[in-house]
Amino acid sequence: MKHNKLISWIIPCFNEQEVLETCIKRIIDFSSYSSHYNWEFIFVDDGSKDNTRDIIRSYNLQDDRVKLVGLSRNFGHQYAVQAGLNNAYGDAAIVIDADLQDPPEIAKEMISQWEKGFDVISGRRIERVSETFFKKISASCFYRMLNLLAEINIPLDTGDFRLIDRKVIDALKQMPEKGRFIRGLVSWTGFKQTQIKYKREPRLAGETKYSLKKMIVFALEGLTAFSSRPL
Ligand code: UDP
Ligand code: MG
């Protein structure tokens, strides 16, 4: 008998108690669309100070496909994603934010592209509903500047919402860099890539966990890892 493939959802969470239950339910509900796959739901608690960890634990007690990776302190989004990937057993992983800005239902198209042989299927934001003017402008400038400066081509307007094949997960695990800019590393590995356009929704509840300081650190890590020009 042929075994079902396992798909791992990776959901980094930092103080997400306002959205987390809705997020868990929506991803689990969606995943029942196909019985051809087995699923695991890896929630990475990136050192939250609220009830995030307890909520994940309580779902884990009801459904052992829900897994908790608990980090000792707040390491930041990119590290949380990597910690999730390090603990994933899937034939593929889908990285998604906890605030439901990226609709989990898009994963259906990602999975069908994966079945066609793509190793990396990235969500490309065609519209950002109700994000602040500052966020839109800074994000748009950032991607365009990065592509001008960087030695690799990072697809425009993609974040970390993507499906990656096991080959790519293993390649990322081999990269010991301390600074993490996952979307750059994924591009750099040169696997077969495609994109799926989607509309980025507003955050379901709570506030952004990306402070201005975190955004600047993130932009600098991206730039310095993939371009020597600022030097
Ligand atoms: N996040 C995290 N650690 C952090 C900051 C954010 O794990 O230090 C998670 C957060 O819980 C969310 C995702 O990363 O699931 C994206 O963060 P957020 O939605 O706040 O960023 P934005 O969409 O505003 O750029
Ligand atoms: Mg968000």
Side-chain angles (χ1 to χ4, degrees):
M1 209 186 89
K2 201 170 149 275
H3 284 286
N4 284 352
K5 287 181 184 164
L6 176 68
I7 301 180
S8 310
W9 286 91
I10 311 290
I11 308 108
C13 308
F14 178 53
N15 295 337
E16 294 290 8
Q17 65 180 15
E18 289 89 357
V19 297
L20 197 52
E21 295 201 50
T22 316
C23 168
I24 297 175
K25 286 186 194 139
R26 179 135 157 226
I27 292 177
I28 292 182
D29 280 354
F30 161 74
S31 300
S32 63
Y33 85 90
S34 168
S35 55
H36 292 306
Y37 303 104
N38 293 326
W39 307 92
E40 65 176 358
F41 307 95
I42 301 182
F43 289 85
V44 182
D45 173 25
D46 185 17
S48 299
K49 300 250 184 292
D50 67 0
N51 290 324
T52 293
R53 198 168 292 207
D54 294 333
I55 297 170
I56 302 168
R57 278 216 183 93
S58 75
Y59 277 85
N60 161 265
L61 291 174
Q62 304 162 34
D63 182 343
D64 61 12
R65 299 173 306 165
V66 175
K67 292 170 187 166
L68 165 70
V69 174
L71 304 186
S72 56
R73 63 168 172 88
N74 180 229
F75 283 86
H77 171 242
Q78 298 287 296
Y79 293 91
V81 170
Q82 186 62 48
L85 292 172
N86 292 346
N87 285 282
Y89 287 100
D91 298 295
I94 305 170
V95 177
I96 191 168
D97 289 351
D99 59 3
L100 295 172
Q101 282 199 272
D102 310 319
E105 294 73 22
I106 302 294
K108 197 168 167 180
E109 287 171 68
M110 292 180 171
I111 292 166
S112 84
Q113 294 298 316
W114 177 52
E115 294 290 8
K116 287 182 190 148
F118 286 99
D119 298 314
V120 177
I121 302 104
S122 304
R124 179 170 178 158
R125 306 148 175 181
I126 48 163
E127 199 181 322
R128 293 166 171 255
V129 187
S130 86
E131 280 192 329
T132 64
F133 180 69
F134 175 71
K135 183 99 186 182
K136 281 184 198 158
I137 289 292
S138 60
S140 151
C141 290
F142 170 65
Y143 287 116
R144 280 159 185 84
M145 185 173 74
L146 193 59
N147 272 330
L148 266 176
L149 292 173
E151 275 96 54
I152 54 154
N153 193 32
I154 296 167
L156 284 177
D157 302 321
T158 60
D160 285 309
F161 181 32
R162 62 168 56 76
L163 181 151
I164 58 179
D165 183 78
R166 168 52 54 187
K167 291 197 277 276
V168 186
I169 304 174
D170 289 340
L172 286 174
K173 284 165 79 173
Q174 305 275 310
M175 297 177 184
E177 284 92 341
K178 203 183 145 281
R180 283 262 144 206
F181 188 69
I182 292 172
R183 67 198 67 163
L185 293 175
V186 166
S187 264
W188 185 76
T189 53
F191 290 105
K192 207 176 162 206
Q193 303 198 33
T194 187
Q195 297 176 3
I196 291 185
K197 293 186 178 142
Y198 75 104
K199 197 171 115 207
R200 189 151 159 96
E201 300 292 333
R203 168 178 267 281
L204 187 73
E207 309 251 282
T208 177
K209 312 300 180 235
Y210 255 100
S211 58
L212 185 60
K213 186 176 154 224
K214 279 183 179 163
M215 262 163 68
I216 291 169
V217 169
F218 173 73
L220 285 176
E221 289 202 331
L223 267 180
T224 51
F226 290 98
S227 171
S228 50
R229 289 190 206 174
L231 303 176

